[in-house]
PDB file of all heavy atoms in Angstrom:
ATOM      1  N   ARG A 183     -13.365   5.588  -8.531  1.00 98.00           N
ATOM      2  CA  ARG A 183     -11.909   5.426  -8.138  1.00 98.00           C
ATOM      3  C   ARG A 183     -11.357   4.213  -8.899  1.00 98.00           C
ATOM      4  O   ARG A 183     -11.484   3.093  -8.298  1.00 98.00           O
ATOM      5  CB  ARG A 183     -11.844   5.161  -6.656  1.00 98.00           C
ATOM      6  CG  ARG A 183     -12.351   6.548  -5.849  1.00 98.00           C
ATOM      7  CD  ARG A 183     -12.318   6.169  -4.350  1.00 98.00           C
ATOM      8  NE  ARG A 183     -12.589   7.369  -3.456  1.00 98.00           N
ATOM      9  CZ  ARG A 183     -12.990   7.284  -2.225  1.00 98.00           C
ATOM     10  NH1 ARG A 183     -12.946   6.196  -1.623  1.00 98.00           N
ATOM     11  NH2 ARG A 183     -13.286   8.435  -1.592  1.00 98.00           N
ATOM     12  N   PRO A 184     -10.725   4.371 -10.018  1.00 98.00           N
ATOM     13  CA  PRO A 184     -10.159   3.237 -10.744  1.00 98.00           C
ATOM     14  C   PRO A 184      -8.943   2.740 -10.111  1.00 98.00           C
ATOM     15  O   PRO A 184      -8.186   3.603  -9.508  1.00 98.00           O
ATOM     16  CB  PRO A 184      -9.951   3.754 -12.190  1.00 98.00           C
ATOM     17  CG  PRO A 184     -10.585   5.141 -12.206  1.00 98.00           C
ATOM     18  CD  PRO A 184     -10.623   5.605 -10.921  1.00 98.00           C
ATOM     19  N   GLY A 185      -8.710   1.548 -10.263  1.00 98.00           N
ATOM     20  CA  GLY A 185      -7.230   0.924 -10.026  1.00 98.00           C
ATOM     21  C   GLY A 185      -6.435   1.175 -11.228  1.00 98.00           C
ATOM     22  O   GLY A 185      -6.778   2.103 -12.103  1.00 98.00           O
ATOM     23  N   LEU A 186      -5.393   0.430 -11.589  1.00 98.00           N
ATOM     24  CA  LEU A 186      -4.518   0.641 -12.683  1.00 98.00           C
ATOM     25  C   LEU A 186      -5.447   0.425 -13.905  1.00 98.00           C
ATOM     26  O   LEU A 186      -5.907  -0.707 -14.136  1.00 98.00           O
ATOM     27  CB  LEU A 186      -3.399  -0.390 -12.601  1.00 98.00           C
ATOM     28  CG  LEU A 186      -2.478  -0.326 -13.773  1.00 98.00           C
ATOM     29  CD1 LEU A 186      -1.681   1.004 -13.904  1.00 98.00           C
ATOM     30  CD2 LEU A 186      -1.502  -1.514 -13.814  1.00 98.00           C
ATOM     31  N   ILE A 187      -5.506   1.427 -14.721  1.00 98.00           N
ATOM     32  CA  ILE A 187      -6.314   1.254 -15.970  1.00 98.00           C
ATOM     33  C   ILE A 187      -5.500   0.779 -17.184  1.00 98.00           C
ATOM     34  O   ILE A 187      -4.176   1.279 -17.387  1.00 98.00           O
ATOM     35  CB  ILE A 187      -6.853   2.664 -16.429  1.00 98.00           C
ATOM     36  CG1 ILE A 187      -7.615   3.199 -15.127  1.00 98.00           C
ATOM     37  CG2 ILE A 187      -7.872   2.403 -17.526  1.00 98.00           C
ATOM     38  CD1 ILE A 187      -8.057   4.724 -15.364  1.00 98.00           C
ATOM     39  N   VAL A 188      -5.944  -0.199 -17.866  1.00 98.00           N
ATOM     40  CA  VAL A 188      -5.028  -0.842 -18.866  1.00 98.00           C
ATOM     41  C   VAL A 188      -5.880  -1.115 -20.137  1.00 98.00           C
ATOM     42  O   VAL A 188      -7.007  -0.860 -20.135  1.00 98.00           O
ATOM     43  CB  VAL A 188      -4.673  -2.291 -18.283  1.00 98.00           C
ATOM     44  CG1 VAL A 188      -3.931  -2.171 -16.885  1.00 98.00           C
ATOM     45  CG2 VAL A 188      -5.816  -3.230 -18.101  1.00 98.00           C
ATOM     46  N   GLY A 189      -5.110  -1.581 -21.179  1.00 98.00           N
ATOM     47  CA  GLY A 189      -5.764  -1.892 -22.451  1.00 98.00           C
ATOM     48  C   GLY A 189      -5.203  -1.060 -23.585  1.00 98.00           C
ATOM     49  O   GLY A 189      -4.319  -0.300 -23.402  1.00 98.00           O
ATOM     50  N   PRO A 190      -5.953  -1.228 -24.736  1.00 98.00           N
ATOM     51  CA  PRO A 190      -5.461  -0.490 -25.984  1.00 98.00           C
ATOM     52  C   PRO A 190      -5.441   1.119 -25.637  1.00 98.00           C
ATOM     53  O   PRO A 190      -6.352   1.479 -24.983  1.00 98.00           O
ATOM     54  CB  PRO A 190      -6.414  -0.798 -27.062  1.00 98.00           C
ATOM     55  CG  PRO A 190      -6.961  -2.117 -26.571  1.00 98.00           C
ATOM     56  CD  PRO A 190      -6.926  -2.184 -25.157  1.00 98.00           C
ATOM     57  N   ASP A 191      -4.478   1.741 -26.229  1.00 97.00           N
ATOM     58  CA  ASP A 191      -4.383   3.259 -26.119  1.00 97.00           C
ATOM     59  C   ASP A 191      -3.805   3.667 -24.786  1.00 97.00           C
ATOM     60  O   ASP A 191      -3.712   4.981 -24.517  1.00 97.00           O
ATOM     61  CB  ASP A 191      -5.747   3.898 -26.405  1.00 97.00           C
ATOM     62  CG  ASP A 191      -5.908   4.323 -27.899  1.00 97.00           C
ATOM     63  OD1 ASP A 191      -4.910   4.845 -28.405  1.00 97.00           O
ATOM     64  OD2 ASP A 191      -6.932   3.977 -28.416  1.00 97.00           O
ATOM     65  N   ASP A 192      -3.401   2.736 -23.917  1.00 97.00           N
ATOM     66  CA  ASP A 192      -2.882   3.211 -22.681  1.00 97.00           C
ATOM     67  C   ASP A 192      -1.416   3.918 -22.929  1.00 97.00           C
ATOM     68  O   ASP A 192      -0.546   3.264 -23.478  1.00 97.00           O
ATOM     69  CB  ASP A 192      -2.519   1.923 -21.835  1.00 97.00           C
ATOM     70  CG  ASP A 192      -1.873   2.229 -20.451  1.00 97.00           C
ATOM     71  OD1 ASP A 192      -1.726   3.511 -20.123  1.00 97.00           O
ATOM     72  OD2 ASP A 192      -1.603   1.230 -19.661  1.00 97.00           O
ATOM     73  N   ASN A 193      -1.424   5.152 -22.606  1.00 94.00           N
ATOM     74  CA  ASN A 193      -0.250   5.943 -22.822  1.00 94.00           C
ATOM     75  C   ASN A 193       0.914   5.826 -21.718  1.00 94.00           C
ATOM     76  O   ASN A 193       1.839   6.520 -21.799  1.00 94.00           O
ATOM     77  CB  ASN A 193      -0.602   7.434 -22.928  1.00 94.00           C
ATOM     78  CG  ASN A 193      -1.369   7.953 -21.707  1.00 94.00           C
ATOM     79  OD1 ASN A 193      -2.361   7.282 -21.488  1.00 94.00           O
ATOM     80  ND2 ASN A 193      -0.842   8.961 -21.099  1.00 94.00           N
ATOM     81  N   THR A 194       0.596   4.908 -20.781  1.00 97.00           N
ATOM     82  CA  THR A 194       1.670   4.759 -19.707  1.00 97.00           C
ATOM     83  C   THR A 194       2.497   3.528 -19.830  1.00 97.00           C
ATOM     84  O   THR A 194       3.597   3.325 -19.234  1.00 97.00           O
ATOM     85  CB  THR A 194       0.896   4.586 -18.281  1.00 97.00           C
ATOM     86  OG1 THR A 194       0.298   3.353 -18.232  1.00 97.00           O
ATOM     87  CG2 THR A 194      -0.046   5.758 -17.969  1.00 97.00           C
ATOM     88  N   ASP A 195       2.123   2.617 -20.677  1.00 97.00           N
ATOM     89  CA  ASP A 195       2.929   1.410 -20.978  1.00 97.00           C
ATOM     90  C   ASP A 195       3.138   0.384 -19.925  1.00 97.00           C
ATOM     91  O   ASP A 195       3.895  -0.581 -19.985  1.00 97.00           O
ATOM     92  CB  ASP A 195       4.340   1.787 -21.578  1.00 97.00           C
ATOM     93  CG  ASP A 195       4.179   2.422 -22.988  1.00 97.00           C
ATOM     94  OD1 ASP A 195       3.233   2.220 -23.608  1.00 97.00           O
ATOM     95  OD2 ASP A 195       5.122   3.246 -23.281  1.00 97.00           O
ATOM     96  N   ARG A 196       2.362   0.657 -18.783  1.00 98.00           N
ATOM     97  CA  ARG A 196       2.727  -0.264 -17.518  1.00 98.00           C
ATOM     98  C   ARG A 196       2.182  -1.669 -17.898  1.00 98.00           C
ATOM     99  O   ARG A 196       3.000  -2.666 -17.794  1.00 98.00           O
ATOM    100  CB  ARG A 196       2.052   0.206 -16.338  1.00 98.00           C
ATOM    101  CG  ARG A 196       2.843   1.580 -15.899  1.00 98.00           C
ATOM    102  CD  ARG A 196       2.122   2.222 -14.772  1.00 98.00           C
ATOM    103  NE  ARG A 196       0.842   2.901 -15.105  1.00 98.00           N
ATOM    104  CZ  ARG A 196       0.324   4.027 -14.446  1.00 98.00           C
ATOM    105  NH1 ARG A 196       0.958   4.468 -13.386  1.00 98.00           N
ATOM    106  NH2 ARG A 196      -0.765   4.459 -14.864  1.00 98.00           N
ATOM    107  N   PHE A 197       0.899  -1.891 -18.167  1.00 98.00           N
ATOM    108  CA  PHE A 197       0.421  -3.227 -18.391  1.00 98.00           C
ATOM    109  C   PHE A 197       0.954  -3.713 -19.778  1.00 98.00           C
ATOM    110  O   PHE A 197       1.398  -4.795 -19.864  1.00 98.00           O
ATOM    111  CB  PHE A 197      -1.015  -3.277 -18.491  1.00 98.00           C
ATOM    112  CG  PHE A 197      -1.764  -4.479 -18.693  1.00 98.00           C
ATOM    113  CD1 PHE A 197      -2.126  -5.274 -17.680  1.00 98.00           C
ATOM    114  CD2 PHE A 197      -2.153  -4.858 -20.020  1.00 98.00           C
ATOM    115  CE1 PHE A 197      -2.752  -6.634 -17.930  1.00 98.00           C
ATOM    116  CE2 PHE A 197      -2.753  -6.032 -20.234  1.00 98.00           C
ATOM    117  CZ  PHE A 197      -3.131  -6.840 -19.242  1.00 98.00           C
ATOM    118  N   THR A 198       1.157  -2.767 -20.760  1.00 98.00           N
ATOM    119  CA  THR A 198       1.614  -3.066 -22.103  1.00 98.00           C
ATOM    120  C   THR A 198       2.956  -3.779 -22.027  1.00 98.00           C
ATOM    121  O   THR A 198       3.329  -4.453 -22.878  1.00 98.00           O
ATOM    122  CB  THR A 198       1.602  -1.773 -22.881  1.00 98.00           C
ATOM    123  OG1 THR A 198       0.353  -1.210 -22.755  1.00 98.00           O
ATOM    124  CG2 THR A 198       1.878  -2.043 -24.355  1.00 98.00           C
ATOM    125  N   TYR A 199       3.631  -3.304 -21.036  1.00 98.00           N
ATOM    126  CA  TYR A 199       5.117  -3.935 -20.945  1.00 98.00           C
ATOM    127  C   TYR A 199       5.084  -5.444 -21.069  1.00 98.00           C
ATOM    128  O   TYR A 199       5.973  -6.040 -21.724  1.00 98.00           O
ATOM    129  CB  TYR A 199       5.747  -3.583 -19.617  1.00 98.00           C
ATOM    130  CG  TYR A 199       7.003  -4.249 -19.293  1.00 98.00           C
ATOM    131  CD1 TYR A 199       8.214  -3.920 -19.839  1.00 98.00           C
ATOM    132  CD2 TYR A 199       7.020  -5.417 -18.559  1.00 98.00           C
ATOM    133  CE1 TYR A 199       9.382  -4.751 -19.693  1.00 98.00           C
ATOM    134  CE2 TYR A 199       8.130  -6.200 -18.336  1.00 98.00           C
ATOM    135  CZ  TYR A 199       9.403  -5.834 -18.892  1.00 98.00           C
ATOM    136  OH  TYR A 199      10.468  -6.576 -18.666  1.00 98.00           O
ATOM    137  N   TRP A 200       4.012  -6.081 -20.460  1.00 98.00           N
ATOM    138  CA  TRP A 200       4.142  -7.534 -20.290  1.00 98.00           C
ATOM    139  C   TRP A 200       3.909  -8.116 -21.683  1.00 98.00           C
ATOM    140  O   TRP A 200       4.720  -9.060 -22.083  1.00 98.00           O
ATOM    141  CB  TRP A 200       3.259  -7.961 -19.246  1.00 98.00           C
ATOM    142  CG  TRP A 200       3.701  -7.656 -17.923  1.00 98.00           C
ATOM    143  CD1 TRP A 200       3.359  -6.672 -17.070  1.00 98.00           C
ATOM    144  CD2 TRP A 200       4.911  -8.107 -17.209  1.00 98.00           C
ATOM    145  NE1 TRP A 200       4.121  -6.475 -16.015  1.00 98.00           N
ATOM    146  CE2 TRP A 200       5.205  -7.429 -15.990  1.00 98.00           C
ATOM    147  CE3 TRP A 200       5.871  -9.248 -17.541  1.00 98.00           C
ATOM    148  CZ2 TRP A 200       6.162  -7.591 -15.185  1.00 98.00           C
ATOM    149  CZ3 TRP A 200       6.939  -9.446 -16.671  1.00 98.00           C
ATOM    150  CH2 TRP A 200       6.967  -8.701 -15.502  1.00 98.00           C
ATOM    151  N   PRO A 201       2.897  -7.984 -22.382  1.00 98.00           N
ATOM    152  CA  PRO A 201       2.753  -8.631 -23.698  1.00 98.00           C
ATOM    153  C   PRO A 201       3.891  -8.113 -24.654  1.00 98.00           C
ATOM    154  O   PRO A 201       4.377  -8.888 -25.509  1.00 98.00           O
ATOM    155  CB  PRO A 201       1.293  -8.222 -24.213  1.00 98.00           C
ATOM    156  CG  PRO A 201       0.847  -7.141 -23.284  1.00 98.00           C
ATOM    157  CD  PRO A 201       1.578  -7.353 -22.119  1.00 98.00           C
ATOM    158  N   ALA A 202       4.284  -6.805 -24.518  1.00 98.00           N
ATOM    159  CA  ALA A 202       5.383  -6.305 -25.413  1.00 98.00           C
ATOM    160  C   ALA A 202       6.684  -7.007 -25.125  1.00 98.00           C
ATOM    161  O   ALA A 202       7.321  -7.475 -26.047  1.00 98.00           O
ATOM    162  CB  ALA A 202       5.491  -4.822 -25.332  1.00 98.00           C
ATOM    163  N   ARG A 203       6.920  -7.285 -23.818  1.00 98.00           N
ATOM    164  CA  ARG A 203       8.201  -7.949 -23.382  1.00 98.00           C
ATOM    165  C   ARG A 203       8.067  -9.422 -23.997  1.00 98.00           C
ATOM    166  O   ARG A 203       9.031  -9.921 -24.641  1.00 98.00           O
ATOM    167  CB  ARG A 203       8.274  -8.077 -21.995  1.00 98.00           C
ATOM    168  CG  ARG A 203       9.481  -8.938 -21.452  1.00 98.00           C
ATOM    169  CD  ARG A 203      10.725  -8.351 -22.005  1.00 98.00           C
ATOM    170  NE  ARG A 203      11.869  -9.263 -21.830  1.00 98.00           N
ATOM    171  CZ  ARG A 203      12.160 -10.438 -22.633  1.00 98.00           C
ATOM    172  NH1 ARG A 203      11.468 -10.490 -23.872  1.00 98.00           N
ATOM    173  NH2 ARG A 203      13.197 -11.278 -22.410  1.00 98.00           N
TER     174      ARG A 203
END
Side-chain angles (χ1 to χ4, degrees):
R183 296 174 176 166
L186 179 67
I187 308 171
V188 306
D191 267 312
D192 180 359
N193 54 307
T194 73
D195 292 332
R196 291 175 287 204
F197 182 88
T198 308
Y199 168 80
W200 292 103
R203 171 64 193 88

